[in-house]
């Protein structure tokens, strides 16, 4: 038998579909474990064989090293009591019980079935019982054993049949010891089991798993550890997010302060540029005052001189107030001089009080703004 055929046989005996694959995979992984650890991890690795022989029944413990006889009891046994509770230790009593009968007690037939029958092998074999044996399907216990997967994909299967009357008679002799059987197998003349379970699945006793509560507890601890780990991870993420948010807020405040300082600097620079432009666009105050001093006639006194934007305002007393406009015209520092309001005579000095306004002109060229040029401009032609 090739490796592929052996894998197919193991899959077929383990079950069909995903369950069979997982069973085969679990047994394959367990084969790599040490024997002591495999007995703990793999459920059903050990079993207790009940082997009737004549007037006695042998009790054999099936382990990794093979079957080992534990005791031998006389038959028949009482129906109401279970002698295994007395003759076996607690660990052996908890093992699944299997009845082992000689293959002469049943019938074996070789069949060739299509590959599609592998997924529903037991159902297919139930239809073959009446064709291959003299029994009806309801009168026997049966199982199928995959022997080979042929090259054309067909299955070489052995049908194993045990008459129900034979099984019930054996159980009657075993008494209470036959209760809760997990399986029934047949052995050949050389003492090798066939590796089948002719007991219907609904009638198989469930194995008591002494590690069940330990496994449930460990699973609960593992689940709790996963939940706590995820909660801790979530808390770490939240703390990291809060720290990042705090850092971002601090950096945002710092960025706002930097932006505010930058805007203030820009405003200062722009204001200075504007003032410099304004100063450069009109004549200096010294030139304006010098031009006024040169053009104002004698007997004129200034009380106030102010520059409001581009407007020159002059307030003072003069004995020649009416002639001031003509005196100030033609100056390069201002344009359109004019009196603002009526002249008022000061009773103390007998001079006229005047208010004169003019528009400041743009900045003069260097040659025009020199004192010589100003003096020339002020002289009458």
């Amino acid at each position: 038998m090739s490796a592929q055929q052996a894998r197919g046989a193991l899959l077929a005996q383990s079950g069909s579909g995903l369950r069979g694959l997982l069973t085969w995979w679990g047994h394959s992984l367990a084969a790599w474990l040490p024997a002591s650890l495999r007995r703990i991890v793999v459920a059903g690795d050990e079993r207790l064989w009940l082997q009737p022989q004549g007037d006695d029944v042998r009790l054999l413990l099936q382990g990794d090293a093979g079957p080992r006889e534990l005791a031998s009891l006389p038959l028949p046994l009482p129906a109401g009591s279970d002698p295994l509770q007395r003759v076996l230790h607690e660990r052996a009593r908890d093992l699944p019980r299997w009845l082992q009968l000689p293959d002469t007690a049943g019938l074996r037939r070789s069949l060739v079935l299509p590959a599609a029958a592998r997924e529903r092998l037991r159902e297919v074999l139930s239809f073959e019982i009446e064709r291959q044996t003299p029994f009806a399907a309801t009168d026997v216990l049966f199982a199928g054993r995959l022997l080979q997967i042929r090259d054309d994909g067909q299955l070489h299967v052995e049908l194993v049949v045990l008459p129900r009357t034979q099984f019930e008679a054996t159980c009657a002799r075993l008494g209470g010891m036959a209760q809760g059987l997990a399986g029934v197998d047949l052995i050949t003349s050389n003492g090798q089991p066939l590796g089948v379970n002719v007991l219907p699945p609904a009638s198989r006793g469930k194995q008591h798993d002494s590690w069940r509560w330990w496994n449930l507890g460990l699973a609960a601890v593992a689940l709790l550890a996963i939940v706590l780990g995820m909660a801790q991870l979530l808390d770490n993420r939240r703390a990291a997010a809060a720290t990042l948010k705090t850092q971002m807020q601090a950096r945002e405040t710092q960025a706002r302060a930097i932006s505010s300082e930058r805007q203030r600097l820009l405003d200062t620079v722009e204001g200075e540029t504007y003032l410099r432009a304004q100063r450069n666009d009109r004549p200096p105050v010294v030139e304006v005052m010098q031009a006024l001093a040169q053009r104002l006639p004698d007997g004129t006194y200034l009380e106030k001189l102010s520059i409001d934007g581009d407007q020159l305002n002059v307030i003072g007393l003069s004995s020649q107030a009416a002639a001031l406009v003509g005196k100030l015209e033609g100056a390069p520092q201002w344009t359109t001089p004019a009196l603002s309001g009526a002249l008022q005579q000061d009773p103390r000095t007998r001079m006229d009080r005047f208010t004169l306004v003019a528009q400041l002109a743009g900045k003069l060229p260097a040659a025009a703004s020199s004192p010589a040029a100003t003096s020339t401009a002020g002289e009458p032609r």
Side-chain angles (χ1 to χ4, degrees):
M1 182 183 297
S2 64
Q4 181 180 2
Q5 293 171 343
R7 285 194 298 268
L10 181 56
L11 280 172
Q13 293 177 19
S14 300
S16 61
L18 180 60
R19 182 176 181 181
L21 177 62
L22 294 177
T23 303
W24 167 78
W25 184 48
H27 282 285
S28 300
L29 292 178
W32 293 87
L33 298 175
S36 58
L37 183 59
R38 185 166 60 249
R39 284 194 296 267
I40 297 176
V41 174
V42 181
D45 193 30
E46 292 184 341
R47 61 186 60 176
L48 181 65
W49 291 110
L50 309 180
Q51 192 178 90
Q53 288 186 353
D55 293 335
D56 296 329
V57 56
R58 298 174 61 200
L59 306 180
L60 293 89
L61 176 64
Q62 177 68 46
D64 296 331
R68 177 170 59 90
E69 185 170 353
L70 299 179
S72 180
L73 301 176
L75 293 177
L77 295 174
S81 62
D82 186 0
L84 296 184
Q85 303 296 329
R86 293 184 291 102
V87 301
L88 298 180
H89 52 81
E90 182 179 358
R91 180 171 174 272
R93 291 198 301 266
D94 292 336
L95 293 177
R97 304 179 189 179
W98 280 66
L99 178 61
Q100 200 173 62
L101 299 175
D103 60 348
T104 55
L107 296 176
R108 299 165 60 187
R109 296 288 186 269
S110 294
L111 304 174
V112 177
L113 300 176
R118 193 167 100 180
E119 299 296 331
R120 306 178 66 180
L121 185 59
R122 184 173 179 83
E123 296 181 18
V124 173
L125 291 178
S126 65
F127 294 106
E128 296 290 335
I129 293 176
E130 295 184 2
R131 295 176 52 190
Q132 302 293 334
T133 68
F135 304 103
T138 56
D139 297 335
V140 296
L141 308 179
F142 70 96
R145 186 162 69 113
L146 180 61
L147 301 178
Q148 183 183 11
I149 301 177
R150 298 170 50 170
D151 295 336
D152 57 358
Q154 292 185 324
L155 309 179
H156 185 196
V157 180
E158 184 179 51
L159 174 63
V160 181
V161 174
L162 177 67
R164 191 176 292 272
T165 55
Q166 180 75 20
F167 169 71
E168 292 175 352
T170 304
C171 289
R173 297 185 66 197
L174 293 175
M177 195 163 47
Q179 306 215 347
L181 286 176
V184 179
D185 197 359
L186 303 182
I187 57 174
T188 60
S189 56
N190 57 4
Q192 293 297 325
L194 297 180
V196 296
N197 188 359
V198 298
L199 198 63
S203 303
R204 298 172 187 175
K206 295 183 179 179
Q207 178 184 357
H208 174 68
D209 187 5
S210 58
W211 287 85
R212 178 182 179 184
W213 296 109
W214 284 100
N215 293 334
L216 291 177
L218 292 176
V221 171
L223 181 60
L224 180 61
I226 292 175
V227 172
L228 292 179
M230 294 179 66
Q232 183 64 38
L233 180 62
L234 185 60
D235 290 341
N236 293 340
R237 295 300 182 190
R238 287 175 177 171
T243 303
L244 181 60
K245 184 178 180 180
T246 303
Q247 294 176 354
M248 292 298 294
Q249 290 177 349
R251 293 180 180 180
E252 185 178 358
T253 303
Q254 184 180 6
R256 283 203 194 98
I258 294 174
S259 178
S260 178
E261 292 295 331
R262 181 174 179 272
Q263 187 62 39
R264 188 178 306 169
L265 178 61
L266 289 176
D267 293 342
T268 303
V269 172
E270 290 178 358
E272 183 180 356
T273 303
Y274 174 76
L275 293 177
R276 187 182 295 111
Q278 292 293 323
R279 184 181 62 186
N280 294 335
D281 288 342
R282 54 181 179 229
V285 178
V286 175
E287 293 183 9
V288 173
M289 295 179 66
Q290 184 178 4
L292 280 174
Q294 294 175 353
R295 290 181 174 272
L296 289 177
D298 295 337
T300 300
Y301 304 94
L302 297 183
E303 294 180 344
K304 180 179 179 181
L305 186 149
S306 65
I307 297 175
D308 187 7
D310 293 337
Q311 182 173 327
L312 174 65
N313 300 314
V314 180
I315 300 175
L317 298 173
S318 177
S319 59
Q320 304 180 34
L324 289 178
V325 175
K327 296 286 186 181
L328 297 181
E329 285 183 350
Q333 289 81 9
W334 58 76
T335 61
T336 63
L339 292 172
S340 176
L343 297 177
Q344 297 179 1
Q345 187 177 24
D346 183 62
R348 185 173 60 83
T349 60
R350 302 296 181 174
M351 302 177 78
D352 294 329
R353 185 180 301 278
F354 66 91
T355 301
L356 189 144
V357 297
Q359 288 295 121
L360 291 177
K363 187 174 181 180
L364 299 177
S369 60
S370 63
T374 306
S375 300
T376 305
E379 293 178 358
R381 296 182 182 178

